Amino acid sequence: MHENFEPYYAVIFTSVRTNEDAELYAATAQRMMELAKQQEGFLGEESARNEIGITISYWKDLKSIKNWKQNAEHLLAQQKGRDSFYKYYKTRICKVEREYSFEK
Amino acid sequence: MHENFEPYYAVIFTSVRTNEDAELYAATAQRMMELAKQQEGFLGEESARNEIGITISYWKDLKSIKNWKQNAEHLLAQQKGRDSFYKYYKTRICKVEREYSFEK
């Protein structure tokens, strides 16, 4: 079932928004998603928000994640996140060791 | 910054619902969350749903995850998930290697 599975990485970003800057937040989130997609090693992204927001991005390796974290435009967005967008966030760097899926 | 960090595990469950059994789905999801909390090795859970649903549960080790996967009541819920609740799902077993957080 899991032959030839090559581990990759997931960055789990969970957050609680402030009530500030709703439009700028939406535009910035959209822009960061577009920018992430252009990065070397980016594999995909999944996102949902109710009381908390969960965004998971998938990456080929730790180096890709480090490069993305240090991207200049992303650094500005991260700063804006701490200054205004978020009450709370937590970032977890994870190695995906196994996976299985179901489709109807 | 990351001294004494002890790796733990995350189970990322992403899904797309069918339109079937909305009430039973809500009750089952609620019950599974309560049941998961009672399991040995359970550390926490985060969940959000828009177009896709993302539920992440956190666990002490792989053994805890395996036990939870094989829990009898959970097995019935998983079967119901394939029969009716979900069009699609994917489960990823991940080792959390690093984390950092921000709080205002």
Side-chain angles (χ1 to χ4, degrees):
Chain A
M1 186 181 176
H2 300 297
E3 295 97 345
N4 304 318
F5 178 73
E6 188 152 348
Y8 57 97
Y9 283 82
V11 178
I12 301 174
F13 179 78
T14 47
S15 64
V16 178
R17 281 271 288 127
T18 62
N19 293 318
E20 295 171 50
D21 289 330
E23 278 179 43
L24 181 60
Y25 170 72
T28 304
Q30 177 71 24
R31 170 66 184 151
M32 287 307 112
M33 199 184 306
E34 283 163 17
L35 199 58
K37 281 178 186 163
Q38 297 165 23
Q39 304 309 301
E40 179 77 27
F42 178 84
L43 301 176
E45 188 265 351
E46 292 172 314
S47 195
R49 176 174 296 280
N50 305 132
E51 295 80 13
I52 65 156
I54 304 176
T55 296
I56 309 172
S57 57
Y58 300 101
W59 301 86
K60 186 169 178 274
D61 52 30
L62 289 172
K63 185 167 171 291
S64 316
I65 294 170
K66 193 177 176 187
N67 287 343
W68 169 234
K69 195 186 177 193
Q70 294 173 349
N71 173 284
E73 195 175 338
H74 189 203
L75 283 172
L76 289 175
Q78 290 170 55
Q79 188 57 52
K80 187 71 185 161
R82 288 185 291 272
D83 290 346
S84 137
F85 297 148
Y86 298 119
K87 262 192 269 207
Y88 163 86
Y89 66 69
K90 184 157 185 166
T91 304
R92 292 175 173 93
I93 313 292
C94 312
K95 186 178 188 179
V96 182
E97 298 188 340
R98 281 191 300 144
E99 62 182 18
Y100 51 91
S101 60
F102 163 82
E103 188 143 21
K104 206 160 259 174
Chain B
M1 185 182 177
H2 301 296
E3 294 98 344
N4 303 318
F5 177 73
E6 187 151 348
Y8 58 97
Y9 284 81
V11 179
I12 301 174
F13 180 77
T14 48
S15 63
V16 179
R17 282 272 287 128
T18 62
N19 294 317
E20 295 170 49
D21 290 329
E23 278 179 44
L24 182 59
Y25 171 71
T28 304
Q30 177 71 24
R31 171 65 185 153
M32 286 306 112
M33 199 183 310
E34 283 162 18
L35 200 57
K37 281 178 186 162
Q38 298 165 23
Q39 304 309 302
E40 179 78 28
F42 178 83
L43 301 175
E45 188 267 350
E46 293 171 315
S47 194
R49 177 173 296 279
N50 305 131
E51 295 81 12
I52 65 157
I54 304 176
T55 296
I56 309 172
S57 57
Y58 300 100
W59 300 87
K60 186 168 178 274
D61 50 31
L62 289 172
K63 185 166 172 291
S64 315
I65 294 170
K66 192 176 176 187
N67 287 342
W68 169 234
K69 195 186 177 193
Q70 295 173 348
N71 172 284
E73 196 176 338
H74 188 203
L75 283 172
L76 288 174
Q78 291 169 55
Q79 188 57 54
K80 187 71 185 161
R82 287 185 292 271
D83 291 346
S84 138
F85 297 148
Y86 299 119
K87 260 192 270 209
Y88 164 86
Y89 65 70
K90 185 158 186 165
T91 305
R92 292 174 173 94
I93 313 291
C94 313
K95 186 179 188 179
V96 182
E97 297 188 339
R98 280 192 299 144
E99 62 182 19
Y100 50 91
S101 60
F102 164 81
E103 189 142 23
K104 206 158 258 175

